[in-house]
Each structure stands twice: as structure tokens, then as C-alpha cells.
Amino acid sequence: MFFIKKVLIIFGGNSSEHYVSCKSAKSIIENINNRLFKYEVVGIDFDNTWYKFSDNLDYLENGNWKEANILKVDNIVSFIKEFDVVFPITHGTSGEDGRLQGMLELFDIPFVGCKTLASSIGMDKGMSKVIFDSLNIDQVPYMVIGDDYKINNIMEKLNFPLIVKPANGGSSIGISKANDKRELIKAIKEAKKYDKKIIIEKFIKARELECAVLENKGNILCSNPGEIKSANEFYDYDAKYVNDLSYTTIPDDIPLDVVNKIKEYAKRIFKGLNCNGYSRIDFFYEEQNNKIYINEINTIPGFTSISMYPKLIESIGINYTDLITTLVNNAR
């Protein structure tokens, strides 16, 4: 007997990546296999209130879904237990950092993606750097600071220029480049709007390469690296989502040994963090020294129409609809 799974797609949340999440949800809705899955959609607003969404997808594209046909979910746990699988596409804090995953695990609800611990470590760039060090994968020189930092201590350890970013965040929100002390103070102030913990890294001239990882029936598939061609000096929010001159590509000029090393590192990190389902793992490639550095892991990578992850998976022969099917069928 043919069994149609009931899938709950969750988007939104109270993070700075709320609107990116709306666009990711729209793309999943447009591409999910309706013959295999019966789905419903829930949006979480900035007050963490849950609403059923069933209206024109333009509301998701424009980010004004609260103006659409929505219905408040009063008993969240009872509601989500009606589904066979939950597909969280909730980028950023609260939705990607293990909190939502912990709730789903607590009530034994299968869901797409990494479990609680891997999600929380992957979201916290300070903690993930500790894991990367333990896995013997090179990183650019960095510091993790809180409220008790001293500017002079940072400048004693790291040389300008520097990249400053929130430890818990994504979509390049709150990230700045600092070329001197004044800019460093300003960059830290900007990053602290989004998190109390801040990552400060040495800025290097390097190619930004991303590797898509997909778990399928116990096998871990890694794509060849894709490359970000930023319209700006580095891949900030404007370059990623606003400036049309930015683009992503799958280059053919990366040395084969570098490609293989990146895929090896990606698989090592995926296993080392005990990830599930899928992740996108980002690297820097410094051509002059032929050096590879791990940048970060994204346990809920973007699924928008311009996002790198689905493009990379498509490059290894799995189209968008089949990718969604694989993720849902492997959810646990």
C-alpha cells in the first residue's frame, strides 16, 4: 500500500535571518513532490507565536506573511504530533541552534537535519572552532571575545585587517571588516547588536569555497566545491542578497588535490560533529600558499532560489525535488 507522508514545513523565527527563511520555505513549497508528500506550512513570528500559513507564496517572497491567511496554533506539541516528519527551514538563532531541535527530540518527532547537539555547536562559531581544532583542520588566526575584551589585547594577537562577526548568526548579518583600531571598535559594536559573543579573524585574500554534504541511507555524499564571487570585498549581506553582481559558480580550475582535500575535510567535520541529514561547510582557499582553511558549518543552509546548497547537490545529479524527497525520507 502506498503511504503518503504528512510533512510540516516550519519557517520564520525571531532571528535576523527570518526573511531569508521565508524565501527558503517558498522554494521548498514550490519544489516538494506532491505525489509523495502531503504538507502543511507553519510560520513562527518574531514573538515566537506559531501560525498555519496557506496563502499566496508572494507573501513569503516579500516577507509580509503575517498579512496573509493565517491561523494561530494554540497547542504546538499536539499539532506537530499530527505529522510524520517536520522540515525546519528556520535559519538562525532559535530555529537552527538546537532549541527547536531539542523540542522535537523531546517528543520523539522525526525531523529533517541535525540533532540538538550538532545544531547548537554548528550555530556557535566559537564552539565549532574548538571542534575544528580537535579535528586538526587549519583555521585562520582568530579570537573569541565577550564583554570583558580589551582592544589592545586583540591588536597584540591579531594583525589588521580583521573580520568581525557575531558568533551565533548567519547570512553574513552583522559582519564587518576592520582595517584599524577605530574600525575595529565600530565593527565590534555592530556585531554585538546580534550576539554577546564575537569572533575576530585575520582577513586573508582567499577564494571562498563551499561544499554541500548530504546523508543518504548511511552514505555521506560530498559535492565538488562551489565558489562565491562576491561583488563586494567580502561576502557580506549586501553582496549575498542585494547586489546582483554577486554570483556563485562551480569552478573547474581548482586543483584536484585541493578539491579532494576539501571533500575529505567536509566529511570529517560532518562526522566529527555527529551531523544528520545535510549541511553546507565553507572553506577559504589561499592560492598563493596552497592552503585550505575551514571557515564554518551551516546545519540549515539556505534553500532559496539563489542558494548554493541546492545548486551544489544538483551538480552531483540530484535535482531540487529529489533532494527534498531524500531529506524527508531520511528524517529521524
Side-chain angles (χ1 to χ4, degrees):
M1 182 177 178
F2 183 68
F3 175 65
I4 297 178
K5 287 185 177 180
K6 293 181 64 178
V7 180
L8 178 63
I9 300 167
I10 304 179
F11 71 90
N14 65 354
S15 82
S16 56
E17 297 180 78
H18 179 101
Y19 297 110
V20 178
S21 172
C22 294
K23 293 177 183 290
S24 289
K26 175 177 179 287
S27 293
I28 291 173
I29 293 165
E30 290 173 331
N31 289 278
I32 194 169
N33 191 327
N34 292 292
R35 293 182 293 105
L36 298 179
F37 308 119
K38 180 180 179 181
Y39 69 88
E40 291 189 39
V41 184
V42 159
I44 305 175
D45 70 6
F46 285 100
D47 294 322
N48 278 324
T49 304
W50 293 39
Y51 296 91
K52 296 181 185 180
F53 172 88
S54 56
D55 210 328
N56 192 298
L57 296 184
D58 287 343
Y59 285 109
L60 294 179
E61 179 66 30
N62 299 326
N64 61 337
W65 64 274
K66 285 291 295 288
E67 300 172 12
N69 177 29
I70 57 176
L71 180 66
K72 184 179 177 182
V73 178
D74 290 317
N75 191 320
I76 294 171
V77 175
S78 294
F79 173 68
I80 58 179
K81 281 188 173 182
E82 298 173 8
F83 296 87
D84 299 303
V85 176
V86 172
F87 195 146
I89 197 67
T90 44
H91 309 303
T93 52
S94 296
E96 190 176 352
D97 61 3
R99 300 182 202 184
L100 177 59
Q101 290 77 10
M103 183 188 76
L104 296 172
E105 283 197 87
L106 181 64
F107 294 102
D108 294 322
I109 299 167
F111 61 94
V112 171
C114 293
K115 301 304 180 186
T116 304
L117 183 58
S119 297
S120 60
I121 293 174
M123 189 67 190
D124 188 323
K125 296 179 180 65
M127 289 302 301
S128 60
K129 284 182 174 297
V130 175
I131 302 298
F132 299 154
D133 282 336
S134 74
L135 295 172
N136 297 315
I137 300 176
D138 288 337
Q139 302 182 71
V140 296
Y142 72 91
M143 287 183 66
V144 181
I145 65 169
D147 290 329
D148 57 347
Y149 70 93
K150 293 182 179 180
I151 290 291
N152 289 337
N153 289 346
I154 298 171
M155 294 190 298
E156 286 175 4
K157 183 174 181 181
L158 300 174
N159 297 321
F160 291 108
L162 300 171
I163 291 291
V164 182
K165 56 189 175 184
N168 291 273
S171 293
S172 299
I173 295 171
I175 183 172
S176 306
K177 182 185 176 187
N179 295 294
D180 54 38
K181 183 177 181 179
R182 180 184 62 82
E183 291 182 358
L184 177 59
I185 294 171
K186 181 180 178 181
I188 292 174
K189 184 177 180 180
E190 175 65 20
K192 280 190 172 290
K193 293 178 182 178
Y194 303 97
D195 195 10
K196 292 181 180 180
K197 184 191 289 188
I198 307 300
I199 307 295
I200 303 176
E201 299 173 333
K202 180 76 178 82
F203 175 81
I204 60 172
K205 290 184 178 180
R207 299 173 71 171
E208 296 187 49
L209 304 177
E210 302 184 344
C211 183
V213 183
L214 176 65
E215 184 183 27
N216 186 17
K217 298 178 181 178
N219 296 318
I220 298 176
L221 308 176
C222 293
S223 73
N224 281 351
E227 183 170 15
I228 299 165
K229 295 290 189 179
S230 175
N232 298 339
E233 186 179 13
F234 63 96
Y235 204 42
D236 58 6
Y237 186 88
D238 177 80
K240 186 174 290 188
Y241 295 110
V242 180
N243 196 322
D244 291 336
L245 296 179
S246 294
Y247 66 96
T248 57
T249 183
I250 300 174
D252 57 8
D253 64 338
I254 306 294
L256 182 59
D257 63 321
V258 173
V259 170
N260 290 335
K261 181 61 70 174
I262 285 174
K263 293 166 77 170
E264 177 196 328
Y265 284 163
K267 187 175 291 188
R268 190 190 303 178
I269 290 166
F270 193 84
K271 290 181 176 179
L273 267 69
N274 198 25
C275 294
N276 298 104
Y278 70 126
S279 289
R280 195 194 75 237
I281 303 177
D282 303 345
F283 298 87
F284 297 123
Y285 172 47
E286 196 175 33
E287 287 185 290
Q288 184 176 359
N289 300 319
N290 199 38
K291 289 279 292 183
I292 302 167
Y293 301 97
I294 174 62
N295 179 18
E296 63 185 35
I297 182 171
N298 292 269
T299 55
I300 303 184
F303 259 73
T304 72
S305 59
I306 63 170
S307 293
M308 179 73 92
Y309 185 86
K311 290 182 179 180
L312 291 174
I313 293 298
E314 188 170 8
S315 75
I316 59 174
I318 303 173
N319 65 35
Y320 202 130
T321 297
D322 289 341
L323 168 60
I324 295 168
T325 299
T326 298
L327 290 171
V328 172
N329 283 338
N330 288 330
R332 57 185 188 273

